[in-house]
Amino acid sequence: MRKKKWLSALAAAAMMLTLIPISAFAQEAAPENTYDSISEYTAAVSTGELDGEDVYVTIDGKNFTEQDGFVVANTQNKENPPKLHLTLTGCTFTGNTAKDNSNPSFMYLSNCKELVIDDCTFTAAEGGQKYGINWNLVGVQDAAVKITNSTFEGTYTSNAIKLTQRGGEGDSKGANETFAGVPGTISSVEITGCTFSDSAKVAFGTQAKEVAFEGGTADVNVANLSTGSFPVTMSGNTAVTVSEQYLANQAGEPVETAIPAGTAVNKAADAAIAGSEAFPFTDINAYTAAVKMHGLDGKDVYVDIKGQEFSAENGTYFEVANTQSYANPPKLHLTLTDCTFIGNTANDTSNPSFMYLPNCQSLDIDGCTFTAVNNQKYGINWNLVGIQGATVSVKNSTFTGPFEKNALKLNQRNGEDDKATDVKGGNTTPASIASAVIEGCTFNDAVVSLGSQGKNENGTASPSTGAFPITIQNNKTDVEVEQAYMAAESEEIPSVTLEAGELLVKDADDTEVHTPVKVEAKAPTATEPGNIEYWYCTTCGKYYKDAALTQEIPESETIIAATGEEPSDPSTEDPTTDPEETPSTKPEENPDDTANSNPDSSSSTTPPQTGDNSNIAIWFVLLLASASLAGTTFVVKKRSVR
């Protein structure tokens, strides 16, 4: 009897054990090499015993000043440095706590595998200091940075946060740096919910540094792309300027992007901080500098500029990166709203123009003013190379000439019959324009040109350069539209002049230009025919059902025949006449059909599905308990046989 009670108790215990989560038995072991003081960590690192090891420093709620300092061991000359995991919460830093006379800062981090900062306050020294957090990663790979809910106060002559990875392929290895054998790499950066003073910039990467090599001096006109090639997420911060040092060579100016308060931005590992559709460039110079790094090749890059004035007279140029020689150029999405352009803002001495666009995937211009100076050659010079399916929309804008050539040129290059010698590079992909619209514009002594004259080997016309659909409508002045693609190099260019408000629709076929006229619908009478609403093209003499001239119809289909009958007099109708009954179209129900009637629940042999599976867990637990009990019984029986 006692044995049975004991077995029952054991079975009950086994059942209870199955209900306890496995995690309750596991205790996470505290990591080795753990410190709560930066001075203890630095002392331990100096012995060399921690080389290559993960080392953890966690500090909460402490104040650091220039007097007591926050001096982190500099390990950038170690071949296999320790990997510091540094966590700071609720701390305050004031002044040059790194005690670095050359580069005053709060801390210098050369081997930080993981940096976590939350709810800390950093205040620059009175009168300002050079750096805030100076992260110069050497010899450690896949590092992570997370800075949240922290405040950076005071004046910084360089930046409040600098994150750079050193020793990579594009890093010219400045003479003042001693590098470990492994390139440093950052796998992720998150900066969220922080407050920045006006001078507290965030910097990524390092500008090129001149280095002496055997046989001469290194090329300093190349940016240090690898030093900033890591992903970044920023959100919920106050307004802050991001300085992308890695996009500039030694003598160049870094690309700087102002991020408005609360704006979320994401930087891919091989891209600039701006340029996404959600956070476009707002500075054409920043876009051009970023493109030159080649990290944006083949990517969609967005530039959105509103209300800015560009003038060659005062040196505010609109220089777009010329990528027609790139094998895989970036795809520029350019939006200009309420902007002003005066003179040769492209700063192009060979072809003076407002802008030169060889790689524009989409161009949207609305409410802008373009004014030529000194009979400049071009206005908007769109010379598409290597981009397919591009779109153009120019609306409600004013072009004032005179122009030597044209105010607006749309041209797709490198087609079968286009072998222009002025389009350089290895890009053999034929460019194509999917759609173009010019609407509501004012043209004062200004011409629109489509395609380009023949520049191929035999000098014949280049139809492919103008083989794209375009709609020109509702413009406020007359405008001459040149069909340059229909002329050989030495021939006179044919053109069509549209009067104000007239419509021109050209399909992708390079041989037809349509000038449709809308004909309003007219109801027929007893003696006179009417007509449907349709469009008639005065150029080709064809009829269409739609304004875009995509649905051609014969003239006969536009006509509605006369009725031939006088309308009946409603006063002669007998109001007492009952209208004929309309037969019902609803099918008659079959009284003998019981297939859809409710079945008798008592005759059903299948139990109803309740959808309640809550007992499965209990059955599973009982199954485990039974297995445990069976094993226990076997042991007891075996022992009794003994």
Side-chain angles (χ1 to χ4, degrees):
M1 183 64 70
R2 287 181 181 177
K3 185 180 290 186
K4 289 184 179 180
K5 287 184 178 181
W6 180 78
L7 290 175
S8 299
L10 184 59
M15 185 179 294
M16 293 302 295
L17 286 173
T18 61
L19 300 176
I20 299 175
I22 295 175
S23 59
F25 296 101
Q27 292 184 357
E28 186 176 344
E32 296 181 2
N33 308 322
T34 300
Y35 301 90
D36 59 6
S37 164
I38 200 66
S39 57
E40 290 179 1
Y41 159 78
T42 298
V45 166
S46 64
T47 65
E49 295 178 359
L50 297 177
D51 285 5
E53 299 289 328
D54 288 281
V55 187
Y56 298 82
V57 177
T58 301
I59 302 174
D60 179 46
K62 291 188 178 180
N63 301 325
F64 298 93
T65 65
E66 291 186 10
Q67 286 70 34
D68 47 49
F70 189 87
V71 181
V72 183
N74 187 345
T75 63
Q76 66 186 30
N77 61 342
K78 287 180 175 287
E79 290 187 9
N80 189 22
K83 304 162 192 172
L84 171 61
H85 297 254
L86 177 59
T87 300
L88 301 168
T89 56
C91 295
T92 62
F93 291 77
T94 305
N96 180 23
T97 53
K99 293 191 175 185
D100 187 337
N101 295 328
S102 301
N103 296 301
S105 59
F106 302 124
M107 62 191 75
Y108 182 76
L109 303 171
S110 60
N111 67 320
C112 201
K113 175 75 172 180
E114 180 184 21
L115 176 64
V116 178
I117 296 177
D118 185 50
D119 194 27
C120 292
T121 300
F122 300 89
T123 304
E126 187 174 347
Q129 67 187 48
K130 190 172 183 180
Y131 296 112
I133 297 171
N134 190 5
W135 166 300
N136 202 45
L137 192 66
V138 178
V140 176
Q141 293 190 308
D142 297 323
V145 182
K146 185 174 184 179
I147 303 174
T148 57
N149 309 313
S150 296
T151 299
F152 295 83
E153 301 174 339
T155 301
Y156 304 85
T157 57
S158 288
N159 45 69
I161 301 173
K162 179 183 179 183
L163 306 174
T164 181
Q165 52 193 19
R166 304 306 302 269
E169 244 178 70
D171 185 3
S172 55
K173 301 182 177 65
N176 66 331
E177 304 289 353
T178 305
F179 290 93
V182 178
T185 61
I186 300 173
S187 62
S188 67
V189 172
E190 178 185 342
I191 302 174
T192 305
C194 293
T195 301
F196 295 94
S197 65
D198 291 341
S199 67
K201 295 179 181 178
V202 175
F204 298 132
T206 306
Q207 283 184 259
K209 294 181 179 179
E210 186 175 3
V211 184
F213 292 106
E214 290 183 11
T217 301
D219 183 1
V220 299
N221 294 317
V222 179
N224 279 340
L225 305 186
S226 67
T227 65
S229 57
F230 49 83
V232 176
T233 298
M234 300 179 67
S235 63
N237 303 299
T238 61
V240 63
T241 296
V242 172
S243 180
E244 294 167 278
Q245 306 278 332
Y246 65 98
L247 296 179
N249 58 38
Q250 185 184 24
E253 289 294 325
V255 173
E256 293 197 342
T257 302
I259 301 177
T263 302
V265 296
N266 293 283
K267 168 190 165 325
D270 58 353
I273 194 73
S276 67
E277 188 171 9
F279 188 68
F281 284 103
T282 56
D283 181 349
I284 195 64
N285 296 320
Y287 160 78
T288 295
V291 165
K292 288 179 180 178
M293 70 178 281
H294 283 278
L296 299 177
D297 285 7
K299 294 181 171 59
D300 290 278
V301 188
Y302 295 81
V303 178
D304 190 350
I305 300 176
K306 295 181 173 65
Q308 293 187 29
E309 178 177 316
F310 302 92
S311 172
E313 295 176 351
N314 59 26
T316 52
Y317 294 110
F318 192 87
E319 297 182 66
V320 182
N322 186 344
T323 61
Q324 67 184 30
S325 62
Y326 287 26
N328 187 23
K331 304 164 190 172
L332 169 62
H333 297 259
L334 177 59
T335 300
L336 299 170
T337 309
D338 299 329
C339 292
T340 300
F341 292 79
I342 301 172
N344 179 24
T345 52
N347 199 22
D348 188 338
T349 54
S350 301
N351 296 299
S353 58
F354 302 124
M355 63 191 75
Y356 182 72
L357 303 172
N359 70 318
C360 202
Q361 183 72 54
S362 66
L363 175 65
D364 290 282
I365 297 176
D366 192 10
C368 293
T369 300
F370 301 89
T371 304
V373 173
N374 298 328
N375 191 32
Q376 70 191 50
K377 193 170 183 179
Y378 295 109
I380 297 173
N381 190 4
W382 169 301
N383 202 43
L384 198 64
V385 177
I387 301 293
Q388 294 187 309
T391 60
V392 185
S393 175
V394 182
K395 297 182 178 180
N396 310 313
S397 296
T398 299
F399 296 83
T400 300
F403 298 87
E404 181 186 337
K405 291 287 189 179
N406 45 66
L408 178 58
K409 176 184 177 183
L410 305 178
N411 188 23
Q412 55 190 25
R413 305 308 302 268
N414 284 1
E416 280 184 26
D417 51 17
D418 177 23
K419 298 177 182 177
T421 56
D422 65 334
V423 178
K424 304 176 180 66
N427 194 320
T428 58
T429 303
S432 65
I433 300 173
S435 68
V437 175
I438 302 172
E439 181 177 357
C441 293
T442 299
F443 294 92
N444 299 317
D445 200 4
V447 174
V448 173
S449 182
L450 308 179
S452 59
Q453 284 185 274
K455 290 186 179 181
N456 52 21
E457 294 172 353
N458 57 16
T460 58
S462 296
S464 68
T465 65
F468 54 85
I470 184 169
T471 299
I472 303 175
Q473 61 186 356
N474 299 324
N475 291 295
K476 298 176 182 178
T477 59
D478 297 354
V479 59
E480 181 181 359
V481 180
E482 292 183 340
Q483 299 160 258
Y485 63 94
M486 295 180 67
E489 192 168 13
S490 59
E491 293 179 347
E492 184 177 346
I493 297 175
S495 65
V496 174
T497 299
L498 296 181
E499 295 183 2
E502 280 193 333
L503 169 69
L504 179 148
V505 178
K506 169 190 171 303
D507 58 22
D509 186 340
D510 58 302
T511 59
E512 283 192 310
V513 172
H514 301 287
T515 308
V517 176
K518 183 180 181 181
V519 179
E520 300 290 346
K522 177 183 174 183
T525 66
T527 57
E528 296 289 334
N531 60 267
I532 64 170
E533 178 186 79
Y534 67 94
W535 282 259
Y536 173 72
C537 177
T538 59
T539 302
C540 65
K542 297 178 181 179
Y543 299 82
Y544 299 87
K545 290 184 67 175
D546 62 319
L549 307 192
T550 60
Q551 302 177 50
E552 184 183 351
I553 56 175
E555 181 183 8
S556 59
E557 289 190 14
T558 68
I559 301 170
I560 303 175
T563 62
E565 297 178 358
E566 293 294 334
S568 58
D569 185 355
S571 62
T572 61
E573 296 180 5
D574 185 356
T576 62
T577 304
D578 292 330
E580 294 182 6
E581 292 186 3
T582 303
S584 172
T585 58
K586 183 178 179 181
E588 183 178 353
E589 295 182 2
N590 185 351
D592 297 327
D593 186 1
T594 59
N596 294 323
S597 61
N598 292 329
D600 186 353
S601 60
S602 62
S603 63
S604 175
T605 59
T606 303
Q609 298 294 316
T610 64
D612 185 2
N613 296 321
S614 60
N615 289 329
I616 292 178
I618 295 175
W619 286 107
F620 182 69
V621 169
L622 290 175
L623 181 61
L624 289 175
S626 299
S628 300
L629 181 59
T632 304
T633 305
F634 174 78
V635 172
V636 171
K637 285 185 177 180
K638 186 174 182 180
R639 287 178 179 174
S640 64
V641 169
R642 270 181 166 177

